[in-house]
Amino acid sequence: MDSALHEGDRLRGWEVACPRRPGPLDGVEVAGFRDRSAAGLDMRVVPQPVVTVVIELGDDALSVEHDGSSRALRSLAAGLMPGEARVRARRVECVEVQMSPVSAYSLLGVAPCDLDGGVFGLEELWGRHEPRLREQLTGIPGWEGRFALVEQFLVRRGASAPSMDPEVVASWERIVSRRGRVRVGDLAVSCGWSRKRLWARFTAQVGLTPKRAAMLVRFDPAVKGLSAGRDPAEVAAVCGYADQSHLHRDVMAFAGCTPGTLALA
């Protein structure tokens, strides 16, 4: 669920909750959503530079349409590049967790590259821990208690989990801090690896090439700008695209639609 949609959905009868204080894990953001108006959800899943986990707490499952098929899921994990996917639900009450690829590598139990091009049932990744966590969350009435439980669960998972190569972490953080405006050669120099080694290790652990990751990081604020109704030419200039045509090509490549269609999704 893209954060660009949260503010607009709040105006249409959605309750949006965020923790009052920063959580214990870097690169992890938690939020809660409740459809107070019972208007339902019909949302295109857009590529983002985060892995998104959604745990539905209400009576109705999420209907996930992906690659021409539909699945009913009580919880899901969407990778950086989920492909053409759509999520629908009649009434939503859920906890959403957004993880950077660095955090997801340790917390999900699979590398982000294993989620490439898909939306998965969270039980496929966490096994018996998923229904147990969901049951516990359902029994807690307030958002702060739910956030605390999720954070404690993730801290335990991360305590003994593997971590990415420091060089890959540093390269990802540099891409994010530069908002995608970085050259792969400069990344290799900064971490002390050859361009070929960085390309191979980064792709194996993040699931995208360094160049593709930089494009996705630049694309993310463009999505937010378009979803907020800003002019595409202005969005292109602010987000570092050469021109509006350049933005159009990236939107088509990542989202499979035009900027105008994406703004209405």
Side-chain angles (χ1 to χ4, degrees), residues 1-255:
M1 304 175 95
D2 184 2
S3 59
L5 301 179
H6 298 171
E7 191 64 30
D9 287 342
R10 185 198 305 267
L11 300 177
R12 294 194 292 272
W14 283 78
E15 174 187 338
V16 183
C18 297
R20 295 192 181 97
R21 56 184 60 87
L25 294 167
D26 291 335
V28 176
E29 295 185 1
V30 185
F33 299 88
R34 182 182 289 119
D35 181 6
R36 285 196 174 278
S37 65
L41 176 71
D42 184 355
M43 186 187 68
R44 179 194 297 268
V45 182
V46 178
Q48 299 180 78
V50 293
V51 172
T52 301
V53 168
V54 177
I55 304 173
E56 171 59 31
L57 307 177
D59 296 329
D60 298 327
L62 303 168
S63 176
V64 180
E65 298 177 6
H66 183 257
D67 287 343
S69 63
S70 179
R71 301 171 65 192
L73 299 175
R74 302 295 307 192
S75 59
L76 62 85
L80 306 177
M81 299 289 293
E84 294 189 15
R86 201 164 195 99
V87 177
R88 293 185 170 92
R90 290 191 299 173
R91 184 188 293 268
V92 175
E93 182 173 352
C94 69
V95 172
E96 177 194 81
V97 184
Q98 291 192 333
M99 309 176 186
S100 73
V102 174
S103 298
Y105 188 86
S106 298
L107 301 176
L108 272 186
V110 297
C113 61
D114 295 324
L115 300 176
D116 181 42
V119 178
F120 296 82
L122 193 56
E123 193 169 2
E124 299 174 44
L125 309 181
W126 286 350
R128 69 182 188 280
H129 300 292
E130 183 274 340
R132 184 181 304 167
L133 175 62
R134 182 160 41 80
E135 181 180 1
Q136 291 174 331
L137 287 170
T138 303
I140 299 175
W143 288 117
E144 285 299 319
R146 290 170 173 177
F147 297 153
L149 178 62
V150 169
E151 289 167 352
Q152 292 165 9
F153 174 82
L154 293 176
V155 167
R156 290 195 300 269
R157 284 190 64 84
S160 58
S163 57
M164 281 186 176
D165 293 335
E167 293 85 354
V168 174
V169 174
S171 296
W172 172 260
E173 291 177 346
R174 186 174 175 86
I175 289 172
V176 172
S177 67
R178 297 292 299 273
R179 299 182 180 181
R181 305 178 197 185
V182 62
R183 297 179 182 275
V184 177
D186 293 338
L187 289 177
V189 170
S190 68
C191 73
W193 279 355
S194 68
R195 181 187 177 103
K196 182 178 180 180
R197 177 170 174 78
L198 173 62
W199 193 279
R201 296 296 293 169
F202 191 101
T203 304
Q205 295 183 30
V206 175
L208 301 173
T209 67
K211 181 178 179 179
R212 191 76 168 168
M215 292 171 63
L216 181 59
V217 167
R218 181 179 59 192
F219 173 72
D220 189 48
V223 173
K224 292 176 171 62
L226 293 170
S227 297
R230 295 172 62 183
D231 180 73
E234 177 190 359
V235 171
V238 170
C239 295
Y241 289 92
D243 51 31
Q244 189 173 337
S245 296
H246 186 193
L247 171 64
H248 188 280
R249 290 195 298 273
D250 266 22
V251 172
M252 289 295 297
F254 281 117

